[in-house]
Amino acid sequence: MIIIINWQDTTHSDEPWLSTEDAKKLKPAEMTTIGTLIEDREDSVVVAGSWGDAGEAGDVNCIPKSAIKRLRVVEEAKDEGAEGAGDAEEAEETE
């Protein structure tokens, strides 16, 4: 299943010390991850952006559900042996 996740990640300052005014300006980073759903857990989602020839997953992220703002399914899982990506179809959405 191919999914798109919009989520928030932590940010930090490259400076070792900040004024409180500068610290108040920090905001979470707005992230977008597109990939194949590996596992949907109670507290997190595991998604891979790449797959190797031997079936190994690459660019794997485990994203806490508390950080997810939106998750969309763009392609449902295909039956084994199906070839090609087919038409992208929005099947599910959570916010």
Side-chain angles (χ1 to χ4, degrees), residues 22-70:
D22 285 341
K24 290 177 183 178
K25 294 175 185 174
L26 289 174
K27 304 256 189 252
E30 298 294 328
M31 309 299 291
T32 300
T33 298
I34 302 169
T36 301
L37 178 66
I38 293 177
E39 187 171 37
D40 186 353
R41 302 175 181 160
E42 184 177 324
D43 64 343
S44 60
V45 173
V46 180
V47 61
S50 301
W51 290 93
D53 291 341
E56 68 273 24
D59 188 26
V60 178
N61 287 289
C62 178
I63 303 171
K65 285 189 174 178
S66 61
I68 295 174
K69 297 176 75 177
R70 184 177 185 197

Side-chain angles (χ1 to χ4, degrees), residues 1-6 32-37 47-48 70-78 84-94:
M1 167 182 314
I2 307 298
I3 59 175
I4 300 173
I5 304 172
N6 300 102
T32 300
T33 298
I34 302 169
T36 301
L37 178 66
V47 61
R70 184 177 185 197
L71 186 153
R72 290 183 291 148
V73 175
V74 294
E75 184 177 306
E76 289 291 340
K78 297 199 178 300
D87 296 328
E89 177 180 330
E90 187 172 313
E92 251 182 78
E93 184 172 313
T94 60

